[in-house]
Amino acid sequence: MLVGPSGGGKTTAMKMVNRLISITEGDIRIDGTSVRSLNLTDLRRGIGYVIQQVGLFPHLSVGDNIGTVPKLLGWPKKRIHARSEELLELVGLEAADAKRYPGQLSGGQRQRVGLARALAANPPLMLMDEPFGAIDPITRERLQDEFLRLHREIRKTVIFVTHDIDEAIKMGDHIAILHQGGVLAQYDTPDEILANPSSTFVEKFVGADRGLKRLSLRRLRDVELEPASDASADAPRCLPATTLRDALSLMLTEGAHEVVVAGDDGEVTGMLSLQRVSDLLREQVTA
Amino acid sequence: MIHIVAAGPVIPNYGTAHGCIANDNAMFCTTWIREHWHDTLEPALVQHVWLTAIAVGIGFAIAFAFALLAHRFGWLAPTFSAFSAFLYTIPSIALFQLLVPVTGITVTTIEIGLVGYTLLILFSNTLAGLRSVPPEVIEAARGMGLTQFQILRRVELPLAFPAISAGIRIGVVTTISLATVAAYITPYGLGKPIFDGLQINYRTEYVVAGLLAIALALVADGVLVIVQRRLTPWRRATA
């Protein structure tokens, strides 16, 4: 995750990976191989590339758009066809959409196609430059969730540029916060950055509600709960998949001092008190 | 018995004057059209099609090459634009006349002039088409590892095609009309029966030849529209 205000060089850093911007000093290595030692077209064909404006080819059908890199790599037609149908389903579209043109799609659908196109030749590395930046908030959240699910399935190294710290916290395993002028302000896990911002710049950038943001990183099933026997009878109930942030919000709105955690089957596994939430936030970062 | 009709136009080399040819100076004498289709109108029409096709063909080859270069090297765009605009401003008869001392009273003279007039529109439209390709589309193409040539052939040219073909349509239609003037230099194409008809003041000949030029322009434009639609299926899908 590359995040930071504009002018921090997020996109520049990303574009040096596939050498859309040439490297003047230093080096970038992928699996130990310098990107400068590779042939430019081979390098780029081996890296999935997704940009905010998508950049689908308007004159090609969705299927042909997705098949762009496989075609360059000389795959047989049948395989390209099968692959684009497979990918359309993977990104939540229908195989029949392969025959449509980009002009007939909504913004969210186009970005799904853009993602499918980047995944076409199954590259181990993906570069994503504000991929959900131009999409309405509701669709954006859905695409983020779907991408996280997809990411768990396909396991790729993703370099993701965003100016939205919440998106970075939600999507990233590691976050690099860049300061104006391309200075690296902090590089760490989301939890560590929220718990221990390295400078006032980072502290300001992540926001005064960083405690709450930290809570959204953890779910009830991830933390040690207290015995439910201490809970009051009318305490609200939550599923184990609920984030601590949502659980806290529930306590505040219900005027309760704790929530009871219960699975789908109604079996109570414990409770979380207001005090415990506060204690958890003051604990050292859990690796 | 030989009837000699004193009134009406004198029509040299057109055989016997009879029917509407002899009776009046009609705008549209079908007898004359029928009798002179094969020896006058048809060859002129065929010549005209060739004049236009060759002029637009050569003009497009030149304009296209310079547009590609100008797309790559920006400084060339205003230079070639100014040159082709200058050619375009020269009155046609004057240009043809100026070329005569160089290339003689030949079809070549006509073609050079006609090619010159196509350059401005074909160059401008091709370049505008290439420049209208959205930058993010080019960036995505580069990011996916298309080479410069692949981007040109697979992305830029297809997307520039609607503008290019619009230029070709205008080029064809204007060349068809301009080529009639060229017969002032060399009797060739539909301009020949128009000038002949005007010279002997025989209405049917120049009216029909003029109508043929108009019909040719309309048909050519229609055919090009159909070709353009066939080749750009994505544009209809968008609408």
Side-chain angles (χ1 to χ4, degrees):
Chain A
M1 279 287 161
L2 294 166
V3 66
S6 31
K10 311 180 290 282
T11 299
T12 309
M14 162 176 285
K15 284 184 176 174
M16 286 196 288
V17 176
N18 65 359
R19 284 168 60 199
L20 281 173
I21 294 175
S22 53
I23 305 170
T24 49
E25 239 177 86
D27 200 3
I28 293 171
R29 280 189 289 273
I30 301 172
D31 273 340
T33 314
S34 164
V35 296
R36 306 175 80 165
S37 69
L38 291 167
N39 169 292
L40 200 59
T41 52
D42 291 343
L43 171 76
R44 288 176 184 168
R45 285 170 198 180
I47 299 174
Y49 189 54
V50 182
I51 55 176
Q52 183 182 338
Q53 313 90 321
V54 197
L56 292 181
F57 302 138
H59 59 299
L60 297 182
S61 69
V62 165
D64 289 341
N65 263 285
I66 296 174
T68 305
V69 177
K71 193 176 169 191
L72 291 173
L73 297 173
W75 289 19
K77 264 194 180 155
K78 261 198 179 146
R79 190 174 160 207
I80 297 177
H81 188 72
R83 178 68 178 156
S84 67
E85 290 197 344
E86 179 193 344
L87 282 164
L88 279 172
E89 276 167 29
L90 190 71
V91 299
L93 294 169
E94 284 163 39
D97 290 327
K99 291 198 173 60
R100 301 171 78 189
Y101 286 99
Q104 297 169 292
L105 305 178
S106 70
Q109 288 173 321
R110 279 182 215 177
Q111 195 50 279
R112 285 165 200 264
V113 176
L115 187 60
R117 183 172 70 170
L119 288 167
N122 205 12
L125 174 63
M126 301 269 291
L127 303 180
M128 303 181 76
D129 191 353
E130 303 212 23
F132 311 131
I135 293 169
D136 69 88
I138 294 169
T139 312
R140 182 191 310 148
E141 199 169 326
R142 209 166 65 219
L143 284 177
Q144 286 171 343
D145 293 337
E146 283 175 25
F147 184 70
L148 282 173
R149 172 187 57 77
L150 193 69
H151 183 59
R152 280 193 290 274
E153 274 174 50
I154 57 180
R155 304 308 313 169
K156 303 211 176 281
T157 304
V158 179
I159 299 178
F160 194 113
V161 163
T162 178
H163 62 262
D164 177 0
I165 184 68
D166 293 315
E167 186 172 59
I169 291 166
K170 179 177 179 181
M171 311 288 286
D173 297 319
H174 287 84
I175 298 176
I177 298 181
L178 293 169
H179 202 329
Q180 265 99 347
V183 181
L184 179 65
Q186 188 167 5
Y187 174 64
D188 232 312
T189 61
D191 200 33
E192 179 65 43
I193 285 176
L194 291 172
N196 302 308
S198 66
S199 63
T200 46
F201 167 74
V202 175
E203 202 177 329
K204 262 186 150 167
F205 190 72
V206 296
D209 62 341
R210 62 192 166 89
L212 287 176
K213 282 176 176 157
R214 246 190 110 193
L215 288 179
S216 67
L217 289 173
R218 277 202 263 177
R219 296 177 187 278
L220 289 171
R221 60 167 179 249
D222 306 329
V223 300
E224 208 182 311
L225 298 169
E226 298 146 285
S229 50
D230 299 341
S232 72
D234 56 352
R237 295 188 157 218
C238 288
L239 290 169
T242 311
T243 65
L244 295 194
R245 183 184 177 133
D246 289 348
L248 176 68
S249 166
L250 192 63
M251 284 181 228
L252 296 176
T253 49
E254 298 287 314
H257 293 284
E258 66 272 313
V259 289
V260 171
V261 183
D264 275 330
D265 50 3
E267 198 198 328
V268 175
T269 52
M271 69 154 215
L272 182 81
S273 65
L274 209 50
Q275 184 58 46
R276 179 90 181 109
V277 173
S278 167
D279 292 344
L280 281 167
L281 274 180
R282 269 176 287 128
E283 260 175 33
Q284 276 308 299
V285 172
T286 48
Chain B
M1 281 285 279
I2 299 167
H3 287 278
I4 295 171
V5 182
V10 184
I11 308 166
N13 307 323
Y14 283 138
T16 47
H18 61 94
C20 53
I21 303 171
N23 290 342
D24 56 8
N25 192 358
M27 291 280 257
F28 207 80
C29 173
T30 47
T31 317
W32 184 87
I33 297 169
R34 226 180 6 257
E35 285 181 4
H36 296 286
W37 175 259
H38 290 292
D39 64 18
T40 308
L41 294 171
E42 192 190 347
L45 180 65
V46 172
Q47 286 166 1
H48 210 83
V49 170
W50 277 110
L51 272 182
T52 306
I54 291 170
V56 176
I58 294 175
F60 180 68
I62 296 170
F64 185 73
F66 276 93
L68 288 184
L69 286 171
H71 185 49
R72 211 49 218 281
F73 310 105
W75 57 266
L76 196 65
T79 314
F80 193 83
S81 234
F83 168 71
S84 54
F86 167 72
L87 286 183
Y88 199 76
T89 58
I90 304 174
S92 53
I93 292 183
L95 178 64
F96 290 130
Q97 205 62 274
L98 281 169
L99 286 167
V100 169
V102 188
T103 47
I105 300 174
T106 59
V107 177
T108 312
T109 303
I110 303 176
E111 287 291 5
I112 292 173
L114 292 178
V115 165
Y117 287 114
T118 65
L119 293 181
L120 180 63
I121 184 74
L122 293 176
F123 174 78
S124 315
N125 270 43
T126 305
L127 189 60
L130 289 170
R131 286 180 172 173
S132 72
V133 178
E136 70 267 16
V137 172
I138 305 284
E139 194 198 326
R142 286 181 66 211
M144 283 190 285
L146 274 79
T147 63
Q148 202 75 36
F149 179 73
Q150 284 166 336
I151 291 174
L152 180 68
R153 206 182 67 81
R154 296 188 188 188
V155 181
E156 291 178 304
L157 287 179
L159 289 178
F161 181 76
I164 295 174
S165 75
I168 292 176
R169 278 172 59 198
I170 301 172
V172 164
V173 172
T174 52
T175 303
I176 287 171
S177 91
L178 198 58
T180 56
V181 179
Y184 179 76
I185 301 299
T186 306
Y188 201 76
L190 286 170
K192 181 180 182 306
I194 291 175
F195 278 106
D196 286 350
L198 286 171
Q199 196 130 39
I200 58 172
N201 188 26
Y202 183 61
R203 284 200 192 115
T204 297
E205 190 171 10
Y206 61 78
V207 167
V208 171
L211 287 174
L212 278 175
I214 294 169
L216 179 62
L218 291 175
V219 169
D221 195 52
V223 169
L224 288 170
V225 168
I226 292 167
V227 171
Q228 181 185 339
R229 290 216 178 137
R230 276 282 166 91
L231 292 176
T232 57
W234 71 90
R235 300 185 90 216
R236 263 172 305 155
T238 315

